[in-house]
């Protein structure tokens, strides 16, 4: 497969005009990848700002005398705000402009991260984390909609998985760098460094990416805000296959979210590592989560070449492997075997992210694709990124952290049930989308 097969091509210009990027020229193939790189970089910044908190959990717990439930609330409030605001902000971005929306989001979460650096107590930190969540709310859905709009559908699962893996890679950097800075120069500098990185990167993104350039390389034309033929908002929630993708995709993020938030504390408490070493060790497992998202997305695209419904099967398989490995790993005493099983489970923990994003993209009308992916982001955050860390933190106060971690993988069983149901409804979902496309075209 060549670059021409997977990236959008610049349209043929009207007679008498000059096309700066003729079809097939090297610049025309490079720009989509540049957009992907910059959007991916901002997602790194997003999760660096979000997950740096996990690296300083042990420090804040001691300095402010916080319970595990307090620590969990500082983490979950971000995901909760993302869950509440993603849909309305994605809808705004579809109409106001995706690029402008992404720039505003990145500026807000970066400035809010600076406020975290100067927080003097738990309540001030909670308020700053609330603002981080407001800024990050719709970045995942709008960012991935921008990326997928300029690449062919045959690589959507791979690109969707790779893009969302930016969350794990950003968490790796945020946790590892944040833990190191917290030990070397103080935890406040951990937040300040993430904020500065975000502000610098969003300036580069604003200078390079524009709505006009995206339209030139779009695989499928996007309707302007004032155009007719838009799919109704309700169509995103009346398709049973889409609903199953939202629920299954959200629930399969429950356990990865737990690992992202609580792995540093797990290694600090049960392997007796200092905060910086615990963060660095946890970063390895977070890296496995991100790598698995990319590789599982590639596998899903290859597996689904004979039929897009096979994306569901791949998603189920990844959940099954994660359920078995993580349950076994946390169920035994600490040691090499336990770490190997947890590492294997971490690799597949969020592997279903790419397939579910591909399914949502396929079953959403083109005029509401960012909003459809926004609904998936809501599910990911409410059912996974917000619920997981909070539930485990609350259980940890009663069962101990290890006892709570042993229960977390059981959520995969519910995700598997939803994904299997989605596979059953997939043909009907495609028919429903076809009828919707015909009705909006009239």
């Amino acid at each position: 497969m060549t670059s021409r097969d997977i990236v959008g091509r610049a349209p043929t210009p009207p007679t008498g005009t000059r096309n700066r990027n003729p079809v097939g020229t090297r610049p025309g193939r490079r720009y989509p990848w540049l957009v992907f790189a910059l959007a991916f970089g901002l997602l790194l910044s997003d999760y660096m700002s979000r997950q740096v908190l996990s690296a300083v959990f042990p420090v804040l717990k001691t300095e402010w005398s916080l319970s595990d439930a307090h620590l969990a609330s500082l983490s979950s409030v971000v995901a909760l705000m993302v869950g509440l605001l993603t849909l309305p902000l994605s809808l705004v971005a579809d109409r106001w402009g995706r690029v402008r929306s992404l720039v505003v989001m990145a500026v807000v979460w970066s400035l809010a991260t600076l406020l975290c650096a100067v927080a003097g107590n738990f309540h001030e930190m909670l308020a700053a984390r609330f603002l981080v969540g407001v800024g990050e709310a719709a970045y995942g859905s709008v960012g991935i909609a921008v990326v997928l709009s300029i690449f062919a559908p045959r690589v959507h699962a791979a690109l969707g998985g790779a893009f969302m893996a930016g969350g794990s890679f950003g968490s790796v950097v945020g946790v590892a760098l944040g833990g190191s800075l917290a030990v070397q120069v103080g935890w406040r500098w951990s937040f300040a460094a993430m904020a500065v990185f975000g502000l610098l990167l969003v300036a580069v993104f604003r200078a390079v990416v524009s709505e006009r350039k995206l339209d030139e390389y779009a695989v499928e034309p996007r309707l302007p805000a004032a155009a007719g033929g838009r799919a109704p908002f309700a169509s995103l929630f009346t398709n049973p296959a889409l609903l199953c993708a939202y629920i299954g995709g959200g629930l399969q993020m429950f356990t990865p979210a737990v690992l992202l938030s609580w792995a540093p504390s797990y290694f600090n408490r049960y392997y007796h590592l200092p905060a910086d070493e615990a963060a660095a060790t946890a970063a390895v497992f977070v890296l496995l989560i991100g790598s698995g998202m990319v590789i599982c997305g590639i596998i899903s695209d290859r597996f689904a070449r004979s039929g897009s419904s096979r994306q569901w099967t791949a998603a189920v398989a990844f959940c099954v492997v994660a359920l078995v490995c993580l349950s076994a790993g946390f169920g035994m005493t600490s040691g090499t075997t336990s770490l190997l099983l947890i590492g294997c489970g971490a690799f597949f923990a969020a592997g279903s992210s790419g397939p579910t994003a591909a399914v949502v993209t396929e079953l959403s009308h083109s005029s509401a694709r960012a909003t459809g992916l926004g609904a998936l982001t809501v599910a990911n955050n409410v059912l996974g990124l917000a619920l997981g860390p909070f539930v485990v933190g609350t259980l940890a106060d009663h069962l101990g952290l290890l006892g709570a971690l042993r229960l977390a993988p059981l959520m995969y069983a519910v995700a598997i049930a939803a994904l299997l149901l989605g596979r059953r409804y997939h043909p009907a979902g495609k028919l429903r989308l076809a009828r919707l496309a015909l009705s909006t075209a009239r």
Side-chain angles (χ1 to χ4, degrees):
M1 186 184 300
T2 66
S3 295
R4 295 186 189 185
D5 295 318
I6 60 178
V7 300
R9 299 182 181 183
T12 303
T15 305
T17 64
R18 183 178 179 182
N19 185 4
R20 296 182 180 179
N21 291 309
V23 173
T25 61
R26 188 170 299 275
R29 296 197 300 269
R30 285 178 175 170
Y31 186 73
W33 291 108
L34 179 59
V35 172
F36 173 81
L38 290 172
F40 183 85
L42 279 176
L43 192 67
L44 288 178
S45 168
D46 179 328
Y47 275 80
M48 287 166 63
S49 295
R50 183 186 298 200
Q51 295 300 140
V52 65
L53 177 72
S54 299
V56 300
F57 266 4
V59 180
L60 293 181
K61 183 178 180 65
T62 301
E63 183 171 327
W64 289 347
S65 302
L66 302 180
S67 68
D68 285 341
H70 281 116
L71 294 174
S73 66
L74 291 176
S75 177
S76 293
V77 69
V78 177
L80 180 62
M81 294 315 302
V82 171
L84 291 175
L85 297 177
T86 289
L87 271 180
L89 293 183
S90 296
L91 199 60
V92 169
D94 268 334
R95 287 155 172 74
W96 185 55
R98 294 173 184 172
V99 174
R100 282 185 293 180
S101 299
L102 293 180
V103 170
V104 171
M105 293 174 204
V107 170
V108 170
W109 85 57
S110 297
L111 292 178
T113 304
L114 275 180
L115 292 179
C116 292
V118 298
N121 53 53
F122 168 77
H123 294 97
E124 290 179 6
M125 178 67 80
L126 186 65
R129 294 287 291 175
F130 170 89
L131 292 177
V132 171
V134 172
E136 295 180 358
Y139 183 80
S141 59
V142 180
I144 196 173
V146 166
V147 169
L148 296 186
S149 71
I150 51 179
F151 287 89
R154 71 187 69 184
V155 293
H156 279 183
L159 285 172
F163 182 81
M164 288 187 287
S168 295
F169 296 136
S171 298
V172 168
V173 178
V175 170
L177 181 59
S180 177
L181 288 173
V183 171
Q184 300 295 328
V185 293
W187 64 265
R188 297 182 185 279
W189 286 101
S190 300
F191 289 98
M194 308 308 158
V196 171
F197 175 74
L199 291 171
L200 292 175
L201 190 58
V202 73
V204 177
F205 182 88
R206 181 64 185 87
V208 173
V209 183
S210 68
E211 298 285 356
R212 181 185 62 80
K213 291 287 287 182
L214 291 177
D215 288 340
E216 287 181 13
Y217 293 92
V219 173
E220 183 178 358
R222 183 165 62 92
L223 293 173
R230 283 192 171 276
F233 176 77
S235 67
L236 297 172
F237 303 96
T238 55
N239 188 325
L242 270 176
L243 290 176
C244 290
Y246 300 151
I247 295 171
L251 291 176
Q252 66 93 32
M253 284 300 298
F254 181 95
T255 306
V258 169
L259 295 176
L260 291 176
S261 293
W262 288 107
S265 295
Y266 171 71
F267 290 113
N268 174 253
R269 298 182 195 182
Y270 297 99
Y271 285 84
H272 310 292
L273 299 178
D276 55 342
E277 292 183 22
T281 305
V284 175
F285 288 83
V286 176
L287 184 61
L288 286 172
I289 295 175
S291 301
M293 293 171 75
V294 177
I295 295 174
C296 289
I298 295 172
I299 293 171
S300 298
D301 275 332
R302 292 185 178 276
F303 183 66
R305 284 181 181 177
S306 58
S308 58
S309 63
R310 299 184 77 182
Q311 298 277 16
W312 297 97
T313 305
V316 169
F318 301 144
C319 286
V320 169
V321 176
L323 169 60
V324 172
C325 291
L326 290 172
S327 296
F330 285 120
M332 61 180 59
T333 57
S334 302
T336 303
T337 304
S338 173
L339 290 177
L340 288 175
L341 285 169
I342 294 172
C344 180
F347 183 83
F348 291 99
S352 301
S353 299
T356 52
V359 166
V360 170
T361 300
E362 179 185 4
L363 296 178
S364 301
H365 192 274
S366 61
S367 65
R369 194 153 290 155
T371 310
L373 290 165
L376 178 62
T377 302
V378 169
N380 288 345
N381 282 272
V382 173
L383 300 179
L385 296 172
L387 190 63
F390 182 76
V391 167
V392 167
T394 302
L395 289 174
D397 283 335
H398 299 87
L399 305 175
L401 181 58
L402 183 58
L405 290 174
R406 287 172 175 169
L407 295 176
L410 297 179
M411 192 61 75
Y412 281 117
V414 188
I416 290 168
L419 293 169
L420 287 173
L421 200 59
R423 184 177 66 175
R424 178 181 176 184
Y425 286 133
H426 186 81
K430 293 191 71 173
L431 286 175
R432 187 182 289 267
L433 177 64
R435 295 192 193 103
L436 178 64
L438 284 175
S439 66
T440 56
R442 292 171 183 170

